[in-house]
């Protein structure tokens, strides 16, 4: 993955991210969802800043935060309301204010995905544990070069409902 990432320029990453979000926004479930969990992107992930700002006034957007070794979701109130949290990931600052509702849709990053809707995360299991407790549909977003026919998975790994790349939506 490291070698593949080096071949993806910052400009290509921004262009691919825009196309991925365009595809996500076309999904019927996205269109009817009022509460959406997303993430604040690390430099090598599908970029989220523009997407978050676009939708934060018309949807309740929730972002993950790590508290006591577990992932929780907190309301996103704009880029200026974030602070560096666990693993240097930006997360909502302030009190751990519980979300008003459960998300109808959870948008998930990953190191790699496969055509069987499996996700390979960063190894800590935060999303797998969280998704096992929350019944919402999960959309894995990734660049096409991170999509494989098959990746290694464990019994606790949660499958995605869809995977969206700049080239396709799985399942179709």
């Amino acid at each position: 993955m490291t070698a593949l990432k080096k071949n993806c320029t910052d400009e290509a990453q921004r262009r691919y991210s825009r196309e991925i979000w365009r595809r996500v926004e076309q999904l019927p479930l996205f269109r009817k969802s009022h509460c959406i969990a997303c993430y604040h992107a690390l430099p090598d992930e599908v970029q989220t800043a523009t997407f978050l700002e676009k939708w934060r006034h018309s949807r309740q957007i929730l972002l993950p935060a790590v508290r006591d070794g577990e992932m929780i979701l907190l309301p996103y109130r704009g880029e200026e309301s974030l602070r560096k949290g666990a693993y240097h990931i930006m997360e909502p600052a302030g009190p751990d204010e519980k979300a008003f509702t459960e998300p109808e849709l959870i948008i998930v990053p990953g190191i790699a995905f496969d055509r069987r809707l499996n996700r390979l995360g960063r190894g800590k299991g935060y999303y797998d544990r969280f998704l096992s407790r929350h019944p919402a549909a999960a959309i894995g977003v990734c660049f096409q070069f991170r999509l494989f026919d098959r990746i290694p998975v464990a019994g606790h790994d949660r499958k995605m409902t869809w995977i969206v790349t700049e080239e396709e939506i799985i399942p179709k």
Side-chain angles (χ1 to χ4, degrees), residues 11-28:
E11 175 52 39
Q13 190 174 347
R14 284 189 294 274
R15 188 173 65 251
Y16 297 159
S17 293
R18 283 190 303 270
E19 180 59 24
I20 289 166
W21 294 120
R22 187 187 70 73
R23 290 175 184 274
V24 167
E25 290 165 352
Q26 292 176 351
L27 291 170

Side-chain angles (χ1 to χ4, degrees), residues 3-151:
L4 291 173
K5 286 190 294 189
K6 286 181 182 176
N7 292 329
C8 187
T9 66
D10 289 345
E11 175 52 39
Q13 190 174 347
R14 284 189 294 274
R15 188 173 65 251
Y16 297 159
S17 293
R18 283 190 303 270
E19 180 59 24
I20 289 166
W21 294 120
R22 187 187 70 73
R23 290 175 184 274
V24 167
E25 290 165 352
Q26 292 176 351
L27 291 170
L29 182 58
F30 175 84
R31 289 181 179 188
K32 69 179 186 179
S33 292
H34 299 287
C35 184
I36 298 167
C38 195
Y39 64 96
H40 193 278
L42 292 171
D44 65 337
E45 295 174 332
V46 174
Q47 295 303 292
T48 57
T50 302
F51 177 82
L52 294 172
E53 283 305 307
K54 178 179 180 178
W55 292 105
R56 77 181 183 108
H57 296 293
S58 61
R59 304 285 202 310
Q60 182 181 15
I61 302 291
L62 307 174
L63 295 183
V66 175
R67 300 291 188 272
D68 299 322
E70 289 300 321
M71 187 174 104
I72 63 171
L73 295 175
L74 298 173
Y76 174 67
R77 303 208 188 289
E79 194 71 23
E80 66 284 348
S81 70
L82 300 176
R83 69 171 171 85
K84 197 173 282 192
Y87 311 102
H88 305 287
I89 298 171
M90 299 302 284
E91 59 186 41
D96 292 351
E97 164 186 350
K98 183 155 173 59
F100 300 118
T101 59
E102 284 284 314
E104 298 148 285
L105 182 61
I106 302 172
I107 300 171
V108 183
I111 298 296
F113 294 86
D114 71 19
R115 294 183 176 282
R116 297 171 174 220
L117 302 172
N118 293 305
R119 172 186 172 269
L120 179 64
R122 295 188 182 267
K124 300 290 184 188
Y126 289 111
Y127 273 100
D128 292 315
R129 288 191 303 276
F130 184 85
L131 292 169
S132 71
R133 295 188 309 266
H134 297 272
I139 298 177
V141 293
C142 71
F143 302 121
Q144 189 73 29
F145 69 83
R146 290 181 176 217
L147 179 64
F148 297 90
D149 287 334
R150 182 178 283 187
I151 59 172

